[in-house]
């Protein structure tokens, strides 16, 4: 008999591996859903605004049901570990700002990560690194809420639900481009990449 996977296991499988960054997104998403008294968005009931493109965003997608394809995942390239989730039905939103330095820096682990990344770590070093990562994941998942982040209820104007627009053929490359993203160049409809082509002769 197959057992239902836990939410953490679903996030891990979607992301491809378990890591501290995924644990951060998992904590942020679960806390936001609890604060909103909400469940996973089947359609566009929830909207997530994420301020980074790191591992944790995958957990938000899995747990909150927000994705680029549905139009209810908004990415803002601020480089901040901040997640805002709003509910269209209730009109409520929460903003979760993850605190910096969730664990003390370990120079030995920084050096070990470098060896892992450049492929020079031996088996024992890789095992030590994985144990360290496991400990960090457990620490993040179990630490008190007030030590993990600042959670605030906020007023957010959520974007309109995703719309379907007509497409036009780019006069330069011949590919289809949705109407709101089309540009006009020399009196012709073009896509953004073709509109941005510019040359001064070299």
């Amino acid at each position: 008999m197959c057992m239902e996977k836990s939410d953490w296991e679903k996030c891990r499988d979607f992301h491809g591996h378990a890591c501290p960054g995924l644990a951060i997104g998992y904590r942020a998403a679960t806390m936001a859903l609890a604060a909103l008294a909400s469940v996973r968005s089947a359609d566009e009931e929830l909207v997530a605004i994420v301020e980074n493109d790191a591992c944790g965003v995958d957990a938000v997608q899995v747990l909150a049901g927000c994705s680029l394809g549905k139009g209810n995942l908004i990415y803002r390239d601020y480089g901040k570990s901040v997640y805002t989730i709003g509910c269209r039905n209730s009109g409520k939103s929460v903003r979760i700002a993850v605190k910096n330095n969730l664990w003390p820096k370990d120079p030995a682990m920084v050096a070990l990560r470098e060896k892992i990344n450049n492929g020079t770590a031996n088996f024992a070093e890789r095992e030590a690194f994985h144990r360290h990562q496991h400990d960090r994941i457990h620490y993040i998942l179990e630490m008190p809420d007030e030590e993990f982040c600042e959670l605030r209820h906020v007023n957010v104007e959520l974007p309109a639900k995703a719309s379907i627009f007509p497409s036009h053929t780019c006069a330069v490359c011949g590919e289809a481009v949705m109407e709101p993203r089309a540009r006009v160049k020399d009196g012709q409809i073009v896509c953004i990449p073709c509109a941005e082509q510019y040359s001064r002769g070299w």
Side-chain angles (χ1 to χ4, degrees), residues 133-165:
Q133 290 290 83
H134 179 270
D135 291 344
R136 289 172 65 187
I137 291 169
H138 181 76
Y139 179 75
I140 293 168
L141 294 178
E142 299 297 329
M143 68 190 305
D145 292 348
E146 63 274 12
E147 294 181 14
F148 172 72
C149 71
E150 178 188 2
L151 185 153
R152 292 189 294 117
H153 287 264
V154 293
N155 293 319
V156 177
E157 185 176 348
L158 299 178
K161 289 187 176 183
S163 300
I164 298 177
F165 297 95

Side-chain angles (χ1 to χ4, degrees), residues 67-136:
S67 68
L68 287 174
K70 286 199 294 185
N72 60 342
L73 177 65
I74 311 300
Y75 168 53
R76 293 178 177 167
D77 190 12
Y78 296 161
K80 300 174 67 176
S81 194
V82 174
Y83 307 85
T84 301
I85 297 181
C87 178
R88 295 188 190 278
N89 295 335
S90 68
K92 297 179 180 179
S93 299
V94 293
R95 182 180 189 270
I96 291 180
V98 179
K99 293 185 177 180
N100 196 18
N101 299 320
L102 294 181
W103 50 83
K105 298 292 184 182
D106 185 342
M109 284 299 114
V110 173
L112 184 53
R113 177 184 287 276
E114 181 65 25
K115 296 185 72 173
I116 294 290
N117 290 341
N118 63 30
T120 60
N122 59 36
F123 178 80
E125 289 171 328
R126 291 195 299 271
E127 287 295 300
F129 181 76
H130 291 318
R131 286 194 300 271
H132 178 69
Q133 290 290 83
H134 179 270
D135 291 344
R136 289 172 65 187

Side-chain angles (χ1 to χ4, degrees), residues 1-10 13:
M1 182 177 68
C2 295
M3 295 183 63
E4 176 70 17
K5 291 184 178 181
S6 68
D7 286 343
W8 170 250
E9 290 172 328
K10 293 175 183 177
D13 290 351

Side-chain angles (χ1 to χ4, degrees), residues 8-87:
W8 170 250
E9 290 172 328
K10 293 175 183 177
C11 292
R12 179 202 62 198
D13 290 351
F14 178 78
H15 185 58
H17 63 265
C19 64
L22 186 68
I24 288 173
Y26 177 89
R27 280 296 302 274
T30 53
M31 289 179 63
L33 292 176
L36 294 170
S38 182
V39 295
R40 188 180 191 275
S41 179
D43 191 20
E44 296 183 52
E45 297 86 359
L46 297 178
V47 176
I49 303 170
V50 299
E51 300 185 19
N52 65 82
D53 59 354
C55 303
V57 177
D58 279 355
V60 173
Q61 292 187 83
V62 172
L63 297 179
C66 299
S67 68
L68 287 174
K70 286 199 294 185
N72 60 342
L73 177 65
I74 311 300
Y75 168 53
R76 293 178 177 167
D77 190 12
Y78 296 161
K80 300 174 67 176
S81 194
V82 174
Y83 307 85
T84 301
I85 297 181
C87 178

